[in-house]
Amino acid sequence: EGKLANSERMVKEAISDSDELKDFNIRVFGQGSYANDTNVRLDSDIDINVCLSDYFFFKLPDDKSKADMGYTDIEYDYSQYKNAVERALVAKFGRSDVIRNDKCITVKANTNRVEADVVPTWEYHRHENNGGKAIGTKFISDKGVPIINYPLQHIQNGKAKNDQTQKRFKRLTRIFKRIENQMVEDGVQVSDNITSFLIECLVWNVPNYIFNDHETWTKRLSESIVFLYTKLKGGAECKEWGEVSELLYLFNPGRKWSEEDVKTFLAQTYNYLEF
């Protein structure tokens, strides 16, 4: 928490000191494993979202136009914003300590801070056909790929499930991650598609009774693996699994990972632990 707070503070200072950005409404907050308290030893960096709300991306209902929703064209675009955030970070930390990447801007670690991946985003307003609305974040990579996330809903839902499972949701997530790291160290060929984020989302989809009805961590872990593998093997129910935010499906054609990747990983884990 201290590392996350320190990184957030320094990035906030960089934004507020920038003549280009200081008058914008920008929210700086942590996201990812540190912010969700699911980080383990090999999660060495921190993700910081720098979200602009003065301008935003949007998805309209099927029967509405921009004019219907009161949206107008703007002259400021996302690439200008990312460039301005990069300049603000360079002014704060120095050019040699700031690296621009496809999806984020990395501030290198030193003796006073850990490495931080800064993600400049705009708010994303998703209007549903039924009149509902979800607000997340969106950015466009330097390669032109749009990426939508709902990090604040992810944090909120994770805290709620953790409360409902006697603090066991996040603990079990960390156990899965530590085992995956140990498997890799021991030479098990785990797919690179098995990410820290994916593992957290898989544990999110484990029913609360598995956390609450078993007395040992060994049983909670083994029952979680069996539940996930069985549902994936069945095929239908896992199509409805969501990310922790419950605003995006976990499996769809655009994902880095596939159902087969996850089934293989679960089988590897089950065998590695000799269950």
Side-chain angles (χ1 to χ4, degrees):
E1 290 178 355
K3 292 177 180 179
L4 179 61
N6 196 40
S7 294
E8 286 183 9
R9 176 184 58 79
M10 290 188 293
V11 173
K12 285 178 180 176
E13 290 172 354
I15 300 301
S16 63
D17 290 344
S18 167
D19 290 337
E20 292 181 89
L21 298 172
K22 63 182 181 182
D23 294 327
F24 281 134
N25 291 308
I26 296 173
R27 181 169 45 179
V28 178
F29 58 90
Q31 62 181 25
S33 59
Y34 265 92
N36 289 297
D37 194 26
T38 57
N39 58 295
V40 295
R41 176 172 55 89
L42 296 183
D43 293 338
S44 59
D45 60 348
I46 288 174
D47 297 326
I48 304 291
N49 195 314
V50 181
C51 183
L52 176 69
S53 58
D54 296 277
Y55 303 109
F56 50 86
F57 297 106
F58 53 84
K59 176 184 178 296
L60 299 174
D62 293 339
D63 61 345
K64 299 291 184 181
S65 67
K66 287 198 302 182
D68 292 331
M69 304 299 293
Y71 292 160
T72 59
D73 293 330
I74 59 174
E75 296 182 358
Y76 190 73
D77 64 35
Y78 171 77
S79 62
Q80 291 174 277
Y81 175 64
K82 183 174 182 179
N83 292 338
V85 171
E86 181 181 14
R87 286 190 287 269
L89 296 174
V90 169
K92 174 73 173 178
F93 301 104
R95 177 73 271 180
S96 62
D97 279 354
V98 176
I99 303 170
R100 180 166 177 139
N101 303 302
D102 180 42
K103 297 178 182 178
C104 67
I105 303 167
T106 298
V107 178
K108 293 181 182 179
N110 65 14
T111 55
N112 298 315
R113 62 175 185 266
V114 298
E115 183 173 296
D117 287 338
V118 178
V119 186
T121 67
W122 283 11
E123 275 191 2
Y124 176 69
H125 295 193
R126 189 175 86 182
H127 296 274
E128 309 292 353
N129 292 333
N130 63 7
K133 179 181 177 181
I135 298 179
T137 66
K138 178 177 177 178
F139 66 92
I140 301 172
S141 74
D142 286 350
K143 294 179 180 177
V145 178
I147 298 171
I148 297 166
N149 288 300
Y150 295 90
L152 296 179
Q153 292 91 332
H154 183 123
I155 292 170
Q156 182 180 14
N157 286 353
K159 288 179 178 178
K161 188 176 180 78
N162 209 42
D163 290 340
Q164 295 159 8
T165 57
Q166 305 174 65
K167 309 300 181 184
R168 293 169 179 169
F169 163 59
K170 295 188 179 185
R171 291 172 181 169
L172 189 62
T173 300
R174 292 193 293 269
I175 288 171
F176 263 99
K177 290 183 179 182
R178 289 191 181 105
I179 291 169
E180 190 267 346
N181 288 338
Q182 190 63 51
M183 287 164 61
V184 172
E185 287 186 15
D186 290 346
V188 179
Q189 298 300 307
V190 178
S191 169
D192 291 339
N193 295 339
I194 304 300
T195 66
S196 172
F197 176 81
L198 171 61
I199 290 173
E200 184 173 350
C201 291
L202 290 171
V203 181
W204 162 259
N205 284 282
V206 173
N208 289 356
Y209 74 83
I210 290 179
F211 298 90
N212 294 329
D213 293 355
H214 299 292
E215 294 300 319
T216 67
W217 285 107
T218 299
K219 191 66 174 174
R220 293 170 198 139
L221 178 60
S222 63
E223 289 297 312
S224 297
I225 295 172
V226 170
F227 172 84
L228 292 168
Y229 187 87
T230 301
K231 295 300 183 183
L232 280 160
K233 193 173 181 180
E237 188 172 335
C238 68
K239 303 291 186 186
E240 299 299 315
W241 287 354
E243 295 183 359
V244 179
S245 71
E246 285 298 341
L247 288 165
L248 292 169
Y249 288 112
L250 187 57
F251 295 108
N252 62 46
R255 290 297 197 183
K256 176 180 180 180
W257 52 79
S258 68
E259 294 170 35
E260 287 301 319
D261 288 330
V262 175
K263 283 195 291 184
T264 299
F265 167 66
L266 292 170
Q268 289 174 317
T269 304
Y270 193 87
N271 293 331
Y272 178 80
L273 296 171
E274 299 181 348
F275 283 148

